[in-house]
mmCIF file of all heavy atoms in Angstrom:
data_model
loop_
_atom_site.group_PDB
_atom_site.id
_atom_site.type_symbol
_atom_site.label_atom_id
_atom_site.label_comp_id
_atom_site.label_asym_id
_atom_site.label_seq_id
_atom_site.Cartn_x
_atom_site.Cartn_y
_atom_site.Cartn_z
ATOM 1 N N LYS A 17 -131.320 -19.936 -65.478
ATOM 2 C CA LYS A 17 -132.640 -19.482 -65.623
ATOM 3 C C LYS A 17 -132.703 -18.584 -66.816
ATOM 4 O O LYS A 17 -133.596 -18.656 -67.700
ATOM 5 C CB LYS A 17 -133.111 -18.709 -64.419
ATOM 6 C CG LYS A 17 -134.519 -18.328 -64.433
ATOM 7 C CD LYS A 17 -135.387 -19.458 -63.732
ATOM 8 C CE LYS A 17 -136.810 -19.024 -63.639
ATOM 9 N NZ LYS A 17 -137.548 -18.795 -64.908
ATOM 10 N N GLU A 18 -131.749 -17.727 -67.017
ATOM 11 C CA GLU A 18 -131.597 -16.936 -68.143
ATOM 12 C C GLU A 18 -131.619 -17.714 -69.507
ATOM 13 O O GLU A 18 -132.297 -17.352 -70.435
ATOM 14 C CB GLU A 18 -130.481 -15.919 -68.098
ATOM 15 C CG GLU A 18 -130.274 -14.864 -69.215
ATOM 16 C CD GLU A 18 -129.057 -14.175 -69.334
ATOM 17 O OE1 GLU A 18 -128.375 -14.097 -68.362
ATOM 18 O OE2 GLU A 18 -128.716 -13.796 -70.389
ATOM 19 N N THR A 19 -130.746 -18.810 -69.529
ATOM 20 C CA THR A 19 -130.698 -19.617 -70.729
ATOM 21 C C THR A 19 -131.987 -20.258 -70.977
ATOM 22 O O THR A 19 -132.475 -20.297 -72.062
ATOM 23 C CB THR A 19 -129.519 -20.686 -70.549
ATOM 24 O OG1 THR A 19 -128.339 -20.145 -70.158
ATOM 25 C CG2 THR A 19 -129.465 -21.515 -71.727
ATOM 26 N N ASP A 21 -135.012 -19.318 -69.982
ATOM 27 C CA ASP A 21 -136.078 -18.429 -70.442
ATOM 28 C C ASP A 21 -135.835 -18.004 -71.872
ATOM 29 O O ASP A 21 -136.783 -17.753 -72.531
ATOM 30 C CB ASP A 21 -135.929 -17.204 -69.510
ATOM 31 C CG ASP A 21 -136.558 -17.405 -68.054
ATOM 32 O OD1 ASP A 21 -137.273 -18.571 -67.968
ATOM 33 O OD2 ASP A 21 -136.433 -16.759 -67.230
ATOM 34 N N TRP A 22 -134.577 -17.825 -72.215
ATOM 35 C CA TRP A 22 -134.188 -17.471 -73.546
ATOM 36 C C TRP A 22 -134.839 -18.416 -74.593
ATOM 37 O O TRP A 22 -135.437 -18.174 -75.486
ATOM 38 C CB TRP A 22 -132.594 -17.337 -73.719
ATOM 39 C CG TRP A 22 -132.198 -16.719 -74.974
ATOM 40 C CD1 TRP A 22 -131.975 -15.497 -75.282
ATOM 41 C CD2 TRP A 22 -131.932 -17.433 -76.182
ATOM 42 N NE1 TRP A 22 -131.605 -15.268 -76.652
ATOM 43 C CE2 TRP A 22 -131.612 -16.536 -77.174
ATOM 44 C CE3 TRP A 22 -132.003 -18.808 -76.599
ATOM 45 C CZ2 TRP A 22 -131.093 -16.949 -78.500
ATOM 46 C CZ3 TRP A 22 -131.537 -19.242 -77.826
ATOM 47 C CH2 TRP A 22 -131.170 -18.308 -78.769
ATOM 48 N N ASN A 25 -138.602 -18.541 -74.708
ATOM 49 C CA ASN A 25 -139.206 -17.387 -75.350
ATOM 50 C C ASN A 25 -139.065 -17.679 -76.948
ATOM 51 O O ASN A 25 -139.643 -16.930 -77.671
ATOM 52 C CB ASN A 25 -138.344 -16.083 -75.077
ATOM 53 C CG ASN A 25 -138.839 -15.425 -73.835
ATOM 54 O OD1 ASN A 25 -139.667 -15.887 -73.204
ATOM 55 N ND2 ASN A 25 -137.908 -14.393 -73.491
ATOM 56 N N ARG A 26 -138.267 -18.642 -77.275
ATOM 57 C CA ARG A 26 -138.112 -18.752 -78.733
ATOM 58 C C ARG A 26 -138.568 -20.133 -79.326
ATOM 59 O O ARG A 26 -138.346 -20.340 -80.648
ATOM 60 C CB ARG A 26 -136.512 -18.755 -79.061
ATOM 61 C CG ARG A 26 -136.117 -17.146 -79.063
ATOM 62 C CD ARG A 26 -134.585 -17.100 -78.758
ATOM 63 N NE ARG A 26 -134.210 -15.736 -78.812
ATOM 64 C CZ ARG A 26 -134.438 -14.726 -77.776
ATOM 65 N NH1 ARG A 26 -134.915 -15.323 -76.670
ATOM 66 N NH2 ARG A 26 -134.085 -13.637 -77.843
HETATM 67 C C1 NAG B 1 -138.393 -13.614 -72.207
HETATM 68 O O1 NAG B 1 -139.615 -13.046 -72.667
HETATM 69 C C2 NAG B 1 -140.043 -12.089 -71.658
HETATM 70 C C3 NAG B 1 -141.416 -11.546 -72.006
HETATM 71 O O2 NAG B 1 -141.410 -11.077 -73.327
HETATM 72 C C4 NAG B 1 -139.099 -11.055 -71.247
HETATM 73 O O3 NAG B 1 -139.451 -10.302 -70.265
HETATM 74 C C5 NAG B 1 -137.692 -11.612 -70.883
HETATM 75 O O4 NAG B 1 -136.738 -10.810 -70.781
HETATM 76 C C6 NAG B 1 -137.269 -12.682 -71.953
HETATM 77 N N1 NAG B 1 -136.081 -13.329 -71.369
HETATM 78 C C7 NAG B 1 -135.149 -13.697 -72.205
HETATM 79 C C8 NAG B 1 -133.963 -14.215 -71.384
HETATM 80 O O5 NAG B 1 -134.972 -13.522 -73.362
#
Side-chain angles (χ1 to χ4, degrees):
K17 191 87 174 66
E18 188 193 329
T19 306
D21 287 346
W22 187 91
N25 277 358
R26 281 160 184 78

